[in-house]
Structures are given as C-alpha cells and as structure tokens.
C-alpha cells in the first residue's frame, strides 16, 4: 500500500519522477566503476568515489535541514552538531576496531587507564549504529522540547541553535571530553573486519549512502504528502492560526526537529568511514550555516532542491579550494548574497518560475 | 757663641734621619705629602684598606652626588690611583684624567693600581644606594630601592626603616617596607618583638607576608602565644587576600561586560531598530580593529613624535570606516530584505565571509600587532595582589562614554526622533515626511560605526586578526537576545550580568565549562522570558 502511495506521489509529474529515478540509479551504480581495473577508461579513482560519498552525505544533511526549514519554517544554524554527533558515535566504533584490545591512541597519550563509561559497548556495530540514531535524536528532542515549549521561534531560535553548536564545539575541543579533543578521531583501519580503504568497502559504503539518501528522500516526500506534512506547512505559514484551531503545534515541530536531527546523525555516521576523520570543526558554527545555504540555493521546501544545492555547492567547493583557495570564500559569500537576493526559491524555484511564471503568485503572501 | 752651636745642632738633626724619625713623629712621609695635596674623600678612599673603604661608604664625608660619582667609576672599573693617593679616571681611549680636577693627566698605566670592587662592597654599594633611594621624591625610585633592600631584609638599618615606615605614603612602597620590618621582627629571636610583629602583620594583605607567617608557623619551637597570634594573623591576611582577589575578578568581570556591551551595542541598534540580523557585525568590529592598526602604522611613519596619540585619531577613523562600509552593505544587500529577518541573516553571513577573506588577502592571515599606547600600560595598584590595568579602566570609561553618546543620539536628537518614528510606524513616519530609507541607512551606519569603536577598543586588549569578529559575534548576539530587542538598558544589564557571572563561573570551573554552563543558563532564561529582559510591549503577536 505504501508503495502504491509513493508511486502516486510522482504521478503528477511523470518526467520529473523518471529523471529523479534515473539520477538515483546513476548515483547507486556509479560507485561500481571503482571496481574496474585502474587502466579502464571508466575507472573511478578513490578520490572521486570519496568525493561522491561525501557529497551524498552532505545532501542527506541538506535534506534533513529542508524538513525543518523548508517545511516547518525553523531555521537551524546548528545542524552541524547533529551531523558531528552521529559521526562521533560511529567514530567510537571505528576507533575500537582500530585498537581492539587497547585504548585509542589519544587516550594513551593522555595517560588514561580505562575507557570512559560512555564508550561502553561501542565495540559492537549494532550498539554504535543505535547510538548514531539515539544520541542526535535525544539531544534534539531535549533541546527542541524546551525551545518549542516556550515558543522560541524565528531569529531567536536560529541564534540559540548557533550558540548551542558553539558550546558543543568548545566542549569537544577539550581533551577531557574523551573524544580526541582538537584532532578528533582518525586513523581508522577496519570496519566489521574489512579494511576501510579497500575498493570493495569504499564501494559498499558509497552505495549504502546512495540507498540511504534515496530512502530518506522518498520517505520524507511521502511523509510530507500525509496530513503531518500539511500541518508542518501550516506551522510555517501561520503558527498562531493553527494553534487557535486546536493543533498542538509544538509536538509537530518537535517531531520534525527530532527526525531531522536523526537523519543528520545518520549522514554523519556515513560520512566518517568514507572520509576517515571526524573532529570538532565539523560541527563549527560556520559549517552549520553553510548547510543552510545549500538548502537555500537548491530551493527550500522542495526536498529535491537541497540535494541539488548540496551537490552543486560542494562540487564547486572541492574544485575551487584546490584551484583557487583564496577565491572560494569570496564565492561562497557571494553565493549567500545572490541566492537570498535573487533566488528566494532556489534553483528549483527558478525552473518553475521559467515554466509558468504565475506559480509563485499563490505563495507571495508569506 | 750660642747661635753657631744651635745651627750646628739643627744641621746634625736634619742630617740624621734615623734620629729625627725616632724623635719627631711616626707618620709616614707619604702621608705628609698627601696632606700637602689637600686630602679629598676620594684619596682617603683609595688609600684606605677594605674595612676603611666599607666605613667610608657608610659615612661619606662629602655630598651624596660625589659618592654616586665614585660608585659609577668603581662599577665601570675606571678608578685608578697612584701610591700617593692621587685618583685618576681611565677614559675609554686608555688615557687618564685627574679624578678631582678632571684635567688630562700625564701618567702611565704602569705606575697606577686599579681600584676594584669585591662582592661585599658591591652589596654595600647597592644597599647604600637603596637607602638613599628610599628618600627620593619619586615613587618609582623609592619602590625600586625598597625592592633592592627586600632582597636582604636583615641587613636593613632599623632606624631608617622605622623612620621611613612613619613617613611613607605610597602603598606599593609601604607594603615592601612592612614586609622587611616583618621579616626582621620574625628573625629577631626576641619573643616580645616577634609577638608585636605578628600583630602588625595581621593588617597586611600581601601574599608574601602570608608565606612568611606560614613558614614561621611551621617552626615547631615557637611559643603558644606567638602561635596564636600568628594563626589569627594568617586568617586575617588570607581573608584580605581573598577579598582583593574577588575584587579583581569583579573588576575583570566588569571590563568583560563593557567589552560585551561595546560589541553588542551596535547590534542592538541594527537588530532592535531595523530588525536586521547583521551577521557581519563581527567583521565590522574586526575592520575597526584593523583601522586602528593602520592608524598606528601611519602615526609611526609620519608623526613619530606623537606616535602614542594614534589612538585619538583611530577612534573617529574606526567609527567612520566601519560606518561607511556598513552603509554600503545596507544599500546593496539589506535594503531589498527588510522584514525578512532570516534572509538578512544569511545574506549578511555571506558579507561576513567576503569581508573576512578580503582582510586576509590584504593584511595576511596572521594576527597583526597593535601596541598599547604607552600611557595605557601599567595600572592602579590597589593592594599587592590586586592591580587594575589602565587599559581595562580606559575601556570601561570608553564604554560608558559611548553608551551615553548613543543614549543622547537616540533620545535627544532629531535624528534619534526620526529613527524612533520609523521604527514604530514606518508608514506614518513617511506620511509626515520622514525619508525612511535614508533613516534606515543612517541607523545602520550608526550601528556599524559602533562596531568599529568596539574593534578599536578590543585592539588594545587582545589579538587583531581576521577571525577577531567571530570570537565576539555569538556573545554579542546573546547579549541582545537576553537584553530584549532594541532595549539599550536591557543590553546593558545583560552585558553586565553575562560578563560578571561569566568571569565568576570561569574562576570556579574553568573557561570552557563556564562558557557552556552560561549558554545553558541563557537557554533556560529564554524559557522564562522568550522576549528577553525587557519585552517590547504592544499588540504585535508575531
């Protein structure tokens, strides 16, 4: 039944659905090229496959951010925190794999004798995976509960999420926190016993990311077609009116917020084994704001837009930071300005704007 | 008959020196010769043996200035003397001048002996100078002298010490003298004096005296009465030191608060009055700091004689540069976005990235050096464990001045009236002829200029680098959020509360944990008062 419902989602726009499906299929199959012999014309090097995996992880975060910003109208400047929390949770497992019987090197360096209590069980993949969902989810739930209960919204909410990320960054920079301080986690060797740098592992991880991305995309699209999604949109447009109608909006917002944090955490967990490092700068305030520009650039509230935005910005970033490192920040800054000034509905909005320019007339009142 | 006989007798006595020596005087002929030269204190010094020289240093027969000359000559190894007691100074080219007359003297080095110093005499000279220094009119000289004496407190003369303790007024010198007195008392071995010493010590607030008392307490041979007196003295001193320590924390909390307020003041204006979230505010602060750096460079290069005054030129320059850049930003980026706060946040974040990168490209990614003006170094010494640096005092004063100026500008001028009118009801203000877009631009320029002033102040106490603004922006936003939108009083109270409580938490649990706890407390506070300390009252629901 769900499948037929999902299929119905795309019924309205057949060509769009087909192109999305084809894109996902390509993303899913592209990593396989890494398994070809390295002299083949279609061979994809480790650099490219890592880049592909990384960008897909970022696209997943962008998707998560679109859920809260595009649909519920809550701009989070702290999604880097949930991303990094997921990454750290999975990183604990990888660190234990790298030194099965001994302490991780940074703890030996600090002269610690035993693992802190919160590392308990992190040598099991299933427990680490559970933590990837539980930790960001719980942090987001507690924070969101207090924030939404007292009706903090708009800019206040954004600034507080930023302050929270800032505080967490300070905390993780400390050695005493037990997460490697400044350097974070690195030096991973194996995952489930397989070498983390072997082509097969890379391909599997990359395909796993593609599958997660696809599932999250379709799942969120389905969710947003349900009444829940409609209520979220109403929260964005006029929360007070909705409250007067009897909806308990804080629980809708809290659900979306927690779900979004969990998706961001999963993205972080997929990111760490592919990139091979996680450190506090990953959750830094500017990283988190950059995520917002991916979403804004692609187009908020469209789900497909953030994927495009994350893809384009990160592709540009990896090109420019190598070719013209000085220019990149200027470009990124310019992008922030251009997108907010001239592309209020992002790239996706631009296409639709060109298709039929009356499209936005209905949404102007916002 | 008598005359020739007398003549004969005299000539015999003259001709036989042995006879004459026995009869006339035991004084050496050399001495007679010196007397003939007119005996100067220097001659006495060069002829005396070691004990005599020490005695001469103690009781110099001539003026203090001439003694100082002698010391200088001795320390430079310039003083030479011949066997008759003539003193000569060796010049840098190897020739000699007469010590007394300062004329060129035709003597060779072979005939002279060098008068050199040994360690005991060096110490004696230092002490003598220190004692002389204690009488100096200048506090710094007296303090330096007292510090020299404190190195060997037991050798300090009782009479001088007692006298100076009576007349000395400067607390810094007095503290050292008291410490010397205390050390002498404690070492005297006289039970009565020790007891009196312990009692007088109780009024001190010097950490070193606390050490001294504790050392003495650790000595098992002291009498019970002395022990009791010392214990009570220890408690009193410890309490006073604690007090001045907390006074110090309060002061640095205050200066922290004034920095926060400076950083947040401009933000309170752009956010409170215009509803713009200016994420580039931190970078405008940074630009103010770099303007100060540039002004310093200009002054060093073109006006080295008044280089210290660069700060007075830097303050208006920082304000103007930041204000102009702010107005440009307003025209280009913010104008199309009024009323869409989240969008202004994103766009100005882009601006901040660009500004940061531009500064990196112009000045380099490293921190630049902004030197304190010399009149800002040093501080007011309240007690031995509490010094208030002038730079921090200046920042507190500067913040107050800026605050008053802003208050006056907003509530006392025509411009302020227009700003308030536009904020309250834009349509109505426009209808009666206020050019609202111009007011927007000027108000934004004012906020940006205040950021520049903050940068100028911050350059005096911290690093100036491209990331400067990033370090303050989150804190500044928190001040605005806690204080309530557009409320100067709220911003002031919030900055005060955050600065002081932040400092005290920092003392108790370390900087990072304090910061995290403070952020947690702010989140909880906003639970209670989502609109900040002073909510805007009105009918606006959203």
């Amino acid at each position: 039944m769900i499948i037929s419902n999902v299929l119905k989602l795309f019924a309205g726009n057949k060509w769009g659905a087909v192109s999305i499906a084809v894109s996902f299929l390509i993303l899913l199959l592209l990593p396989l090229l890494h398994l070809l012999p390295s002299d083949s014309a279609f061979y994809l090097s480790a650099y490219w496959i890592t880049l592909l995996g990384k960008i897909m992880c970022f696209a997943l975060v962008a998707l998560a951010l679109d859920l809260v910003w595009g649909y519920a109208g809550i701009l989070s400047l702290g999604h880097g925190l949930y991303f990094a929390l997921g990454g750290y949770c999975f990183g604990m497992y990888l660190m234990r794999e790298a030194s099965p019987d001994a302490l991780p090197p940074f703890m030996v360096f600090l002269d610690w004798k035993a693992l802190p209590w919160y590392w308990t069980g992190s040598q099991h993949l299933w427990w680490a995976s559970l933590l990837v969902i539980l930790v960001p989810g719980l942090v987001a739930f507690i924070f969101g509960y207090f924030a939404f209960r007292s009706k903090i919204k708009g800019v206040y909410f954004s600034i507080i999420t930023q302050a929270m990320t800032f505080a967490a960054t300070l905390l993780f920079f400390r050695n005493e926190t037990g997460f490697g301080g400044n350097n974070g986690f690195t030096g991973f060797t194996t995952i489930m016993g397989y070498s983390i740098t072997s082509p097969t592992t890379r391909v599997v991880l990359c395909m796993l990311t593609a599958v997660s991305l696809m599932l999250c995309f379709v799942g969120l699209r389905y969710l947003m077609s349900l009444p829940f999604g409609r209520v979220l949109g109403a929260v964005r447009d006029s929360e007070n009116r909705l409250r007067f109608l009897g909806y308990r909006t804080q629980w809708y917002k809290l659900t979306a917020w927690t779900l979004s944090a969990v998706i961001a955490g999963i993205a972080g967990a997929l990111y760490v084994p592919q990139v091979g490092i996680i450190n506090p700068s990953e959750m830094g305030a500017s990283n988190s704001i950059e995520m917002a520009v991916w979403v804004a650039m692609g187009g908020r509230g469209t789900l497909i837009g953030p994927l495009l935005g994350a893809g384009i910005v990160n592709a540009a970033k990896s090109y420019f930071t190598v070719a013209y490192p000085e220019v990149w920040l200027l470009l990124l800054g310019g992008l922030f300005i251009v997108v907010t000034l001239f592309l209020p509905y992002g790239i996706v909005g631009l296409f639709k704007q060109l298709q039929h320019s009356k499209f936005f007339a209905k949404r102007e009142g916002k | 008959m008598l005359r020739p006989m007398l003549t004969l007798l005299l000539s015999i006595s003259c001709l036989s020196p042995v006879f004459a020596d026995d009869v006339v005087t035991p004084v050496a002929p050399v001495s007679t010769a010196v007397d003939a030269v007119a005996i100067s204190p220097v001659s006495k010094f060069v002829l005396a043996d070691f004990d005599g020289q020490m005695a001469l240093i103690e009781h110099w027969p001539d003026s203090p200035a001439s003694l100082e000359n002698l010391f200088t000559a001795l320390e430079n190894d310039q003083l030479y003397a011949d066997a008759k007691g003539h003193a000569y100074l060796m010049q840098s080219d190897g020739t000699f001048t007469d010590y007394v007359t300062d004329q060129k003297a035709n003597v060779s080095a072979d005939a002279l002996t060098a008068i050199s110093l040994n360690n005991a005499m060096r110490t004696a000279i230092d002490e003598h100078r220190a004692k002389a220094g204690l009488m100096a009119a200048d506090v710094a000289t007296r303090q330096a002298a007292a510090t020299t004496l404190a190195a060997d407190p037991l050798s300090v003369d009782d009479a001088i010490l007692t006298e100076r303790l009576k007349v000395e007024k400067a607390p810094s010198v007095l503290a050292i003298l008291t410490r010397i007195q205390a050390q002498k008392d404690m070492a005297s071995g006289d039970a009565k004096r020790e007891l009196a010493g312990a009692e007088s010590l109780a009024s001190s607030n010097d950490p070193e005296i606390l050490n001294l008392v504790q050392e003495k307490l650790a000595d098992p041979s002291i009498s019970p009465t002395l022990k009791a007196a010392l214990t009570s003295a220890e408690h009193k001193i410890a309490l006073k030191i604690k007090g001045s320590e907390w006074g110090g924390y309060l002061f640095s909390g205050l200066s922290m608060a004034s920095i926060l307020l400076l950083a947040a003041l401009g933000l309170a204006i752009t956010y409170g009055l215009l509803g713009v979230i200016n994420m580039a505010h931190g970078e405008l602060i940074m630009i103010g700091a770099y303007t100060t750096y540039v002004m310093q460079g200009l002054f060093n290069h073109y006006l080295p004689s008044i280089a210290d005054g660069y700060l007075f030129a830097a303050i208006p320059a920082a304000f103007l540069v930041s204000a102009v850049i702010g107005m440009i930003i307003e025209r280009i980026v913010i104008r199309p976005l009024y009323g869409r706060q989240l969008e202004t946040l994103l766009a100005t974040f882009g601006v901040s990235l660009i500004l940061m990168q531009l500064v990196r490209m112009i000045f380099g990614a490293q921190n630049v050096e902004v030197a304190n003006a010399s009149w800002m170094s040093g501080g007011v010494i309240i007690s031995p464990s509490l010094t208030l640096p002038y730079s921090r005092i200046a920042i507190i004063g500067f913040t107050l001045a800026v605050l008053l100026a802003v208050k006056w500008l907003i509530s006392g001028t025509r411009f302020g009236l227009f700003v308030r009118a536009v904020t309250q009801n834009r349509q109505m203000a426009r209808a009666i002829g206020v050019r609202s877009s111009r007011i927007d631009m000027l108000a934004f320029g004012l906020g940006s200029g205040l950021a520049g002033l903050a940068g100028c102040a911050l350059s005096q106490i911290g690093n100036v680098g491209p990331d400067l603004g990033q370090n303050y922006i989150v804190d500044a936003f928190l001040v605005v959020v806690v204080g309530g939108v557009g409320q100067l009083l709220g911003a002031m109270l919030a900055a005060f509360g955050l600065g002081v409580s932040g400092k005290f938490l920092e003392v108790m649990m370390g900087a990072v944990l304090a910061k995290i706890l403070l952020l947690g407390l702010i989140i909880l506070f906003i639970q209670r008062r989502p609109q900040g300390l002073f909510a805007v009252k009105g009918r606006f629901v959203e």
Side-chain angles (χ1 to χ4, degrees):
Chain A
M1 197 193 84
I2 290 177
I3 294 175
S4 67
N5 275 335
V6 167
L7 287 178
K8 247 188 255 169
L9 282 177
F10 299 96
N13 187 349
K14 237 176 232 159
W15 288 114
V18 168
S19 57
I20 289 172
V22 169
S23 313
F24 272 125
L25 207 63
I26 293 174
L27 280 182
L28 190 62
L29 298 180
L30 208 56
L32 289 173
L33 296 182
H34 186 49
L35 295 177
L36 291 174
S38 59
D39 52 356
S40 156
F42 296 103
Y43 173 71
L44 213 57
S45 73
Y47 169 79
W48 285 105
I49 196 166
T50 309
L51 186 67
L52 183 69
K54 204 165 89 173
I55 291 180
M56 284 197 290
C57 288
F58 288 147
L60 201 53
V61 192
L63 205 59
L65 196 57
D66 193 33
L67 171 64
V68 286
W69 189 23
Y71 285 89
I74 309 165
L75 173 55
S76 162
L77 298 182
H79 258 51
L81 172 63
Y82 304 120
F83 180 76
L85 280 180
Y88 270 106
C89 287
F90 200 72
M92 289 203 294
Y93 165 73
L94 291 174
M95 287 310 271
R96 293 290 285 272
E97 279 267 307
S99 44
D101 302 317
L103 292 181
F106 64 85
M107 287 191 192
V108 177
F109 186 70
L110 288 173
D111 208 18
W112 288 11
K113 295 293 173 241
L115 285 167
W117 59 268
Y118 41 81
W119 281 68
T120 316
S122 54
Q123 71 272 32
H124 306 296
L125 181 64
W126 63 270
W127 175 243
S129 310
L130 204 61
L131 280 183
V132 165
I133 292 169
L134 281 183
V135 172
L138 211 61
V139 171
F141 183 84
I142 294 171
F143 175 75
Y145 175 76
F146 283 111
F148 296 132
R149 197 189 61 161
S150 60
K151 304 190 195 95
I152 300 176
K153 55 187 149 193
V155 173
Y156 276 78
F157 187 85
S158 304
I159 289 173
I160 291 177
T161 52
Q162 195 190 13
M164 175 139 163
T165 314
F166 184 59
T169 315
L170 288 178
L171 191 66
F172 274 77
F173 262 121
R174 283 169 74 88
N175 279 330
E176 301 92 289
T177 321
F179 292 106
N182 200 3
N183 299 319
F185 294 155
T186 185
F188 310 134
T189 51
T190 58
I191 178 168
M192 294 170 72
Y194 299 104
S195 163
I196 206 159
T197 49
S198 80
T200 331
T201 319
R202 280 184 199 281
V203 169
V204 169
L205 281 171
C206 200
M207 288 173 79
L208 205 62
T209 314
V211 170
S212 315
L213 188 63
M214 193 166 61
L215 284 181
C216 283
F217 175 74
V218 176
L220 284 179
R221 188 127 190 190
Y222 176 63
L223 191 65
M224 289 305 112
S225 75
L226 296 181
F228 177 79
R230 298 297 163 99
V231 175
L232 275 190
V235 165
R236 172 192 63 197
D237 290 339
S238 179
E239 188 180 350
N240 279 333
R241 231 177 275 181
L242 204 59
R243 260 213 316 278
F244 295 146
L245 286 174
Y247 284 92
R248 298 175 69 186
T249 51
Q250 69 154 305
W251 291 103
Y252 284 92
K253 281 155 83 177
L254 191 55
T255 310
W257 177 253
T258 310
L259 181 61
S260 167
V262 168
I263 296 175
I266 292 172
L270 288 166
Y271 174 85
V272 170
Q274 299 190 65
V275 177
I277 184 168
I278 177 85
N279 61 29
S281 67
E282 224 47 79
M283 61 172 82
S286 57
N287 259 27
S288 304
I289 300 185
E290 209 183 303
M291 291 170 185
V293 93
W294 304 338
V295 179
M297 169 140 182
R300 290 181 272 153
T302 59
L303 291 184
I304 191 76
L307 304 188
L308 282 178
I312 294 171
V313 176
N314 282 298
K317 181 180 190 170
S318 40
Y319 172 71
F320 278 106
T321 45
V322 176
Y324 310 100
E326 294 222 312
V327 177
W328 166 242
L329 277 178
L330 293 181
L331 268 180
L332 185 67
L335 201 62
F336 271 92
I337 298 171
V338 168
V339 166
T340 43
L341 285 187
F342 304 112
L343 294 175
Y345 302 105
I347 296 173
V348 173
L350 192 68
F351 285 141
K352 288 187 176 166
Q353 217 164 3
L354 294 176
Q355 264 179 15
H356 41 106
S357 49
K358 278 184 186 169
F359 180 79
F360 289 101
K362 279 179 268 173
R363 295 176 60 180
E364 272 306 316
K366 191 165 70 77
Chain B
M1 219 24 232
L2 192 66
R3 273 180 84 98
M5 278 181 68
L6 272 175
T7 315
L8 183 69
L9 194 66
L10 271 175
S11 55
I12 290 169
S13 68
C14 284
L15 283 171
S16 70
V18 180
F19 173 77
D21 265 349
D22 283 343
V23 178
V24 183
T25 165
V27 172
V30 179
S31 168
T32 330
V34 169
D35 281 337
V37 179
I39 181 130
S40 71
V42 181
S43 303
K44 275 192 198 161
F45 184 81
V46 297
L47 288 173
D49 59 359
F50 173 71
D51 288 330
Q53 285 179 340
M54 291 292 266
L56 270 170
I57 292 177
E58 284 291 320
H59 305 286
W60 188 244
D62 201 3
S63 70
S66 70
L67 182 62
E68 188 55 39
N69 278 344
L70 177 71
F71 288 164
T72 317
L74 278 170
E75 279 169 347
N76 296 343
D77 290 327
Q78 276 185 304
L79 190 65
Y80 284 78
D82 63 12
K84 290 182 200 151
H86 278 293
Y88 298 97
L89 280 177
M90 185 175 76
Q91 301 302 320
S92 50
D93 55 2
T95 61
F96 290 89
T97 55
D98 190 293
Y99 184 91
V100 182
T101 62
D102 213 17
Q103 301 293 317
K104 218 160 178 63
N106 194 15
V107 287
S108 77
D110 304 335
L112 304 177
T113 41
I115 310 292
S116 59
L117 281 176
N118 60 20
N119 281 338
M121 272 169 70
R122 265 181 229 282
T123 315
I125 287 176
D126 284 345
E127 271 178 22
H128 190 88
R129 276 183 172 161
K131 280 172 198 161
L134 278 186
M135 320 284 176
D138 175 29
V139 177
T141 318
R142 291 211 300 277
Q143 190 177 347
T147 313
T148 315
L149 286 178
D152 183 14
L154 300 185
S155 72
V156 180
D157 192 54
D158 271 333
I160 296 176
L161 192 60
T162 323
E163 188 213 322
R164 291 312 305 173
L165 273 171
K166 271 184 205 142
V167 294
E168 184 58 63
K169 289 280 183 295
S172 57
V173 187
L174 201 56
I176 304 173
L177 292 181
T178 321
R179 196 157 76 224
I180 296 173
Q181 175 74 57
Q183 275 163 318
K184 282 177 72 86
D185 283 345
M186 286 298 130
S188 66
D190 170 16
K192 224 172 171 179
R193 210 177 141 187
E194 281 179 349
L195 201 58
E199 272 157 20
S200 82
L201 285 183
S203 66
S204 162
N205 54 6
D206 189 335
E208 291 195 31
I209 291 198
L210 185 62
N211 277 343
L212 187 71
V213 170
Q214 281 162 346
E215 259 171 42
K216 192 75 184 172
L217 267 177
D219 178 3
S221 65
I222 55 174
S223 70
T225 37
L226 180 59
K227 186 163 183 161
L230 281 174
T231 317
S232 105
E234 186 193 11
H235 285 308
K236 282 182 187 160
I237 301 171
L239 201 65
K240 276 186 194 130
I241 292 177
K242 208 70 191 168
S244 61
E245 263 173 16
W246 284 97
Y249 299 145
L250 184 68
F251 176 75
S252 51
L254 268 180
S255 71
M256 196 61 227
S258 64
I259 289 165
L260 275 181
L261 184 56
L262 264 185
L265 208 52
L267 209 57
I269 285 179
T270 46
Y271 181 37
L273 298 183
L274 306 173
V276 171
I277 305 300
N278 186 12
M279 292 298 277
H281 190 77
E283 277 55 51
L284 290 166
I285 293 177
M286 170 198 71
I287 285 172
Y290 271 96
T291 310
T292 312
Y293 166 71
V294 171
M295 288 309 281
Q296 176 191 250
L298 289 179
F299 265 64
N300 279 342
H301 195 259
Y302 293 107
L303 298 164
S305 55
I306 51 164
D308 259 353
Y310 78 91
L311 211 51
F312 293 103
I315 290 172
F319 182 88
L320 281 180
V321 171
S322 290
V324 167
I325 292 179
M327 285 194 273
I328 295 172
I329 294 173
E330 201 270 349
R331 279 272 146 156
I332 298 175
V333 178
I334 292 170
R335 175 141 308 176
L337 296 176
Y338 276 119
R340 291 155 62 193
Q341 293 190 336
L342 289 179
E343 272 91 343
T344 59
L345 190 157
L346 286 182
T348 48
F349 186 76
V351 173
S352 90
L353 286 181
I354 291 177
L355 289 178
M356 238 191 307
Q357 187 59 27
L358 285 179
V359 165
R360 256 190 221 121
M361 286 157 90
I362 298 170
F363 294 99
Q366 302 297 315
N367 286 345
V368 296
E369 171 95 30
V370 173
N372 265 352
S374 63
W375 47 269
M376 283 243 277
S377 56
V380 182
I381 299 166
I382 303 286
S383 81
S385 48
L386 174 57
T387 305
L388 311 182
Y390 287 131
S391 55
R392 301 249 168 191
I393 294 176
I395 284 185
I396 294 179
F398 183 65
T399 308
L400 281 178
V402 171
L403 195 65
L404 288 176
V406 170
K407 176 81 189 148
W408 170 76
L409 208 59
I410 295 294
S411 60
T413 64
R414 200 171 166 76
F415 165 70
L417 185 69
F418 285 170
V419 169
R420 283 177 290 143
V422 170
T423 313
Q424 281 177 13
N425 194 331
R426 178 173 296 261
Q427 304 301 327
M428 190 68 81
R430 286 170 68 92
I432 57 171
V434 177
R435 292 167 67 186
S436 66
S437 66
R438 198 181 140 92
I439 294 294
D440 286 341
M441 189 179 79
L442 288 177
F444 198 85
L446 173 65
S448 308
L450 289 174
L453 289 184
C456 184
L458 287 176
S459 71
Q460 297 298 308
I461 54 161
N463 296 330
V464 176
D467 299 332
L468 173 78
Q470 299 283 303
N471 299 331
Y472 292 98
I473 186 74
V474 174
D475 286 340
F477 266 119
L478 289 178
V479 167
V480 174
V481 166
V482 171
V485 176
Q487 305 288 315
L488 288 187
L489 184 65
M492 206 173 93
L493 282 179
F496 182 78
L498 292 185
V500 174
S501 58
K503 182 68 204 177
F504 279 81
L505 285 176
E506 196 179 311
V507 172
M508 286 186 274
M509 55 183 52
V512 175
L513 281 180
K515 189 125 215 168
I516 291 163
L517 188 69
L518 203 62
L519 287 168
L521 287 176
I522 289 171
I523 292 176
L524 285 181
F525 170 81
I526 289 174
Q527 296 292 306
R528 305 292 311 165
R529 300 191 73 98
Q531 302 286 315
L533 276 174
F534 296 96
V536 180
K537 293 189 181 70
R539 280 173 285 173
F540 312 102
V541 181
E542 272 179 317

